[in-house]
C-alpha cells in the first residue's frame, strides 16, 4: 500500500472522449483526509473541494453534439479508495427510469465510469450505477473487443433522486484495480 500512497499524491486522471476527433480533457483527482459517506447525498465535506467537471459531448444518438441534459462529476481519493460523485441533471425528474434489478443488469437511468489505469487506451475497468442504486461492472480489453461482465469486484455505490435529477456516489478500492507500480500517475478516465 505504500506504493499506492506515493502514486496517489500526484494522481491525475485523464478524461478521454469516445470520439477520436474530440480534444482530450484533463481532470485532476484530489486527495481527501476524510472519506465521503457513500449514500447518494453529495453533502460531505469531501465534495465541497474543487469544481465540478462536465462539458460532455454526445456519443449517441448525435455524435459530437452537446447533451440534452447536463452531467457533472468529481473524483477524489485517499490511501485506499477512489471516490466518484456524479450529478445527472434531468429537467423532468419524474421521467427518470428507476428500476430495481440484479447486479450487472443495466436497466433504467445509469451512469458509468471507465478507468484505464494502465493508460494504454485499450483496457478499461467499468463501474456503473443506476438511479435505483443497482451496480454494473465489467472489464473491457483489446480496445473493447473483449468484455468480461462476470468480473465482480468489491466496491460500493449509492444513488438518490432529487428535484434537479439524480446523484450517484462510488467507492472503488484500489485493490480492485490493476495498475503498474511505476505508473506515470496518469490514468485514462471516461464518464458516461
Amino acid at each position: 500500500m505504500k506504493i499506492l500512497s506515493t502514486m496517489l499524491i500526484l494522481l491525475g486522471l485523464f478524461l478521454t472522449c469516445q470520439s477520436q476527433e474530440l480534444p482530450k480533457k484533463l481532470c485532476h483527482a484530489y486527495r481527501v483526509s476524510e472519506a465521503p459517506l457513500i449514500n447518494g447525498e453529495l453533502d460531505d465535506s469531501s465534495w465541497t473541494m474543487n469544481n465540478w467537471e462536465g462539458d460532455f459531448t454526445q456519443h449517441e444518438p448525435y455524435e459530437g453534439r452537446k447533451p440534452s441534459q447536463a452531467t457533472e462529476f468529481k473524483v477524489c481519493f485517499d490511501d485506499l479508495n477512489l471516490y466518484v460523485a456524479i450529478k445527472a441533471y434531468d429537467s423532468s425528474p419524474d421521467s427518470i427510469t428507476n428500476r430495481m434489478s440484479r447486479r450487472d443488469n443495466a436497466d433504467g437511468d445509469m451512469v458509468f465510469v471507465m478507468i484505464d489505469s494502465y493508460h494504454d487506451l485499450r483496457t478499461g475497468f467499468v463501474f456503473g450505477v443506476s438511479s435505483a442504486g443497482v451496480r454494473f461492472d465489467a472489464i473491457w480489453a483489446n480496445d473493447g473487443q473483449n468484455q468480461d461482465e462476470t468480473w465482480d469486484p468489491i466496491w460500493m455505490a449509492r444513488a438518490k433522486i432529487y428535484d434537479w435529477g439524480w446523484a450517484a456516489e462510488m467507492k472503488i478500492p484500489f485493490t480492485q484495480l490493476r495498475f503498474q507500480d511505476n505508473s506515470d500517475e496518469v490514468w485514462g478516465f471516461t464518464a458516461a
Side-chain angles (χ1 to χ4, degrees):
M1 289 316 280
K2 67 180 169 181
I3 293 171
L4 271 178
S5 295
T6 303
M7 185 192 86
L8 293 176
I9 291 172
L10 301 173
L11 176 67
L13 296 177
F14 196 73
L15 177 62
T16 60
C17 300
Q18 294 284 344
S19 172
Q20 295 295 340
E21 60 211 40
L22 297 173
K24 295 182 180 189
K25 301 173 187 176
L26 190 62
C27 161
H28 292 279
Y30 56 93
R31 177 179 283 282
V32 294
S33 57
E34 186 177 330
L37 179 64
I38 306 302
N39 58 8
E41 295 188 11
L42 307 181
D43 58 355
D44 300 282
S45 62
S46 302
W47 300 130
T48 62
M49 300 178 190
N50 283 17
N51 295 322
W52 288 90
E53 303 281 344
D55 195 28
F56 286 99
T57 304
Q58 277 191 53
H59 178 61
E60 289 181 9
Y62 304 108
E63 179 77 25
R65 289 190 189 173
K66 286 274 191 199
S68 59
Q69 304 287 334
T71 304
E72 298 177 330
F73 71 96
K74 286 188 179 187
V75 180
C76 64
F77 63 93
D78 58 21
D79 288 339
L80 302 175
N81 304 291
L82 184 70
Y83 303 95
V84 180
I86 300 171
K87 291 181 181 179
Y89 293 98
D90 195 318
S91 57
S92 299
D94 57 334
S95 69
I96 294 171
T97 305
N98 190 37
R99 292 190 191 107
M100 188 57 72
S101 62
R102 293 184 182 272
R103 181 176 182 164
D104 292 333
N105 184 11
D107 191 14
D109 285 26
M110 296 200 69
V111 291
F112 295 87
V113 296
M114 181 184 296
I115 300 170
D116 177 4
S117 53
Y118 291 118
H119 199 246
D120 61 4
L121 305 179
R122 299 177 46 98
T123 310
F125 299 96
V126 179
F127 298 89
V129 63
S130 75
S131 58
V134 178
R135 293 176 298 149
F136 176 91
D137 40 56
I139 295 178
W140 286 8
N142 195 23
D143 281 339
Q145 298 299 314
N146 303 87
Q147 300 175 20
D148 181 2
E149 294 180 8
T150 64
W151 178 63
D152 285 329
I154 298 168
W155 65 290
M156 291 180 62
R158 297 286 185 271
K160 188 170 181 181
I161 295 178
Y162 294 91
D163 59 359
W164 48 262
W166 63 285
E169 287 181 293
M170 299 178 186
K171 175 183 177 181
I172 305 167
F174 288 113
T175 58
Q176 304 304 296
L177 300 172
R178 294 182 212 135
F179 49 89
Q180 297 174 348
D181 289 343
N182 60 351
S183 166
D184 61 2
E185 297 155 3
V186 174
W187 291 2
F189 182 84
T190 299

